[in-house]
Amino acid sequence: MQRELAIEFVRVTEAAALASARWMGRGDKDSADQAAVDAMRGMFDTIDIDGEVVIGEGEIDEAPMLYIGEKIGTRAGEVPKVDIAVDPLEGTTIIAEGRPNALSVLAVASHGSLLHAPDMYMDKIAVGPDAKGAIDIDASVEENIKAVAKAKGKAIEDITVVILDKPRHRVEDGLIEQVRRVGARIKLIKDGDVAGALATALPDTGVDIMMGIGGAPEGVLAAAGLKCIGGDMQARLIPRNDEEIERAKEMGIDNVNDALRLEDLAAGDEIIFSATGVTDGEMLKGVRFQGNNAITHSLVMRSKTGTMRLVEAIHCLDQKPLPFDQEF
């Protein structure tokens, strides 16, 4: 992929963030998500790629746009053939409640590079570059925390683990209890485990490890982002029934019990990752509206070079070709 495409993909996540940000705190997560989907899909039509959605809004009978298998991009002439993973609005509940860390996210990779992950649960553990190689999805919580603390040269009591605040992690002897027993610190987040995973690899977030069960599609997006900046991640699918097992097999995953390494989730070095803040978070600022302008903050990364760019853009809303002028 040409490096010039990186800024084109920033424009895609910017569009989704701008469209969904106006729904912040209004209690309507579905409308916020639909606004992001519409804007993202429209912007993809302007980019010179031959893309196929491998992580998206669901199956063709579940989502009218950005569904798994949908072909997007101009697809005209000699253009790169790519896999596309998207989450137009990561944290629909977050934005509906006006909470921090909602993002618009996408990852683009050369064709065949991204895991075709079904929409099911996935157990994950992620770290930044300074703990790469120290984690093991088959090891205990205690073993992983101690290994990461050793790799980072920190006391266990100074390690911070980010965990989704879900009932599955609060059960007796569950993940939260196990981490507390080891003596590490915990940062609970309501949603948004892509941001949680990336926080382990970014400066000044104070996060050392992400652990716990979240969505498989989000796992692939997180892996793509971590691949770009030298982080590490391991995972395992957690199907709830035979139907989900069969769905995984249909998507090319023969054994759902296999441990998935970073290269299984996001292979190769032709990956571009882009995220734009929708609401304020530790990683990115949210969209700010100022009269007829809006300011966005984005992060774009390339695995081939390891380059990470922070992009601040000022948008003149009455000159945007996409529907940012919703009537409320």
Side-chain angles (χ1 to χ4, degrees):
M1 290 185 290
Q2 304 96 323
R3 62 184 177 184
E4 292 80 6
L5 283 173
I7 196 64
E8 294 299 312
F9 295 132
V10 173
R11 292 173 62 238
V12 174
T13 54
E14 285 175 345
L18 285 164
S20 58
R22 283 180 165 168
W23 293 93
M24 186 180 78
R26 300 182 63 225
D28 189 348
K29 65 179 184 178
D30 291 335
S31 292
D33 189 49
Q34 190 61 57
V37 170
D38 291 345
M40 179 173 277
R41 183 63 181 82
M43 193 61 76
F44 265 125
D45 282 339
T46 70
I47 301 179
D48 291 330
I49 54 171
D50 179 2
E52 179 179 347
V53 177
V54 299
I55 300 289
E57 292 292 285
E59 302 295 324
I60 188 170
D61 57 348
E62 298 172 351
M65 287 187 291
L66 296 177
Y67 56 82
I68 297 170
E70 185 176 10
K71 304 293 186 179
I72 57 180
T74 62
R75 306 173 66 206
E78 297 278 333
V79 295
K81 188 175 179 64
V82 296
D83 289 347
I84 297 173
V86 299
D87 195 343
L89 180 58
E90 196 213 10
T92 55
T93 300
I94 288 175
I95 194 168
E97 297 178 355
R99 297 178 182 273
N101 285 318
L103 299 172
S104 174
V105 185
L106 67 79
V108 181
S110 53
H111 181 62
S113 297
L114 299 179
L115 180 73
H116 292 218
D119 189 6
M120 65 173 64
Y121 283 130
M122 175 184 275
D123 192 13
K124 316 168 197 176
I125 179 169
V127 292
D130 49 2
K132 186 176 178 65
I135 55 174
D136 184 351
I137 193 73
D138 292 317
S140 68
V141 169
E142 180 178 3
E143 289 169 333
N144 274 306
I145 291 174
K146 287 182 175 179
V148 171
K150 182 179 179 180
K152 295 171 73 78
K154 299 176 71 170
I156 289 174
E157 293 79 8
D158 296 333
I159 291 291
T160 299
V161 183
V162 64
I163 303 172
L164 283 174
D165 190 4
K166 302 294 183 182
R168 57 182 173 270
H169 295 144
R170 288 187 173 276
V171 297
E172 184 177 354
D173 200 34
L175 178 59
I176 291 175
E177 187 176 316
Q178 291 180 55
V179 173
R180 286 174 175 166
R181 194 161 56 234
V182 176
R185 306 186 332 148
I186 294 175
K187 179 177 182 178
L188 294 174
I189 56 175
K190 186 164 185 178
D191 289 290
D193 58 344
V194 174
L198 291 177
T200 66
L202 295 174
D204 302 323
T205 64
V207 173
D208 300 292
I209 318 173
M210 186 204 74
M211 288 182 168
I213 298 170
E218 291 83 357
V220 175
L221 278 161
L226 288 167
K227 184 71 178 290
C228 290
I229 46 177
D232 200 6
M233 181 172 172
Q234 295 185 15
R236 176 175 283 111
L237 292 172
I238 305 179
R240 292 171 293 181
N241 50 50
D242 291 341
E243 182 180 345
E244 289 191 346
I245 293 174
E246 285 303 312
R247 180 63 184 133
K249 289 181 178 178
E250 289 172 4
M251 297 180 74
I253 302 171
D254 295 328
N255 189 347
V256 295
N257 296 315
D258 284 348
L260 299 168
R261 313 300 175 183
L262 187 66
E263 283 294 324
D264 299 316
L265 298 163
D269 65 353
E270 286 285 353
I271 300 172
I272 297 174
F273 177 94
S274 177
T276 300
V278 182
T279 60
D280 286 344
E282 292 91 346
M283 188 167 72
L284 292 166
K285 295 178 183 177
V287 177
R288 284 168 166 74
F289 293 101
Q290 297 180 348
N292 190 47
N293 293 333
I295 301 172
T296 58
H297 293 261
S298 304
L299 169 69
V300 60
M301 306 181 289
R302 291 183 69 215
S303 62
K304 192 168 188 176
T305 60
T307 303
M308 177 174 62
R309 288 184 172 88
L310 293 170
V311 180
E312 180 177 86
I314 301 174
H315 307 264
C316 186
L317 297 180
D318 64 3
Q319 295 181 29
K320 287 289 177 182
L322 294 172
F324 302 137
D325 56 347
Q326 302 102 320
E327 294 291 336
F328 293 136

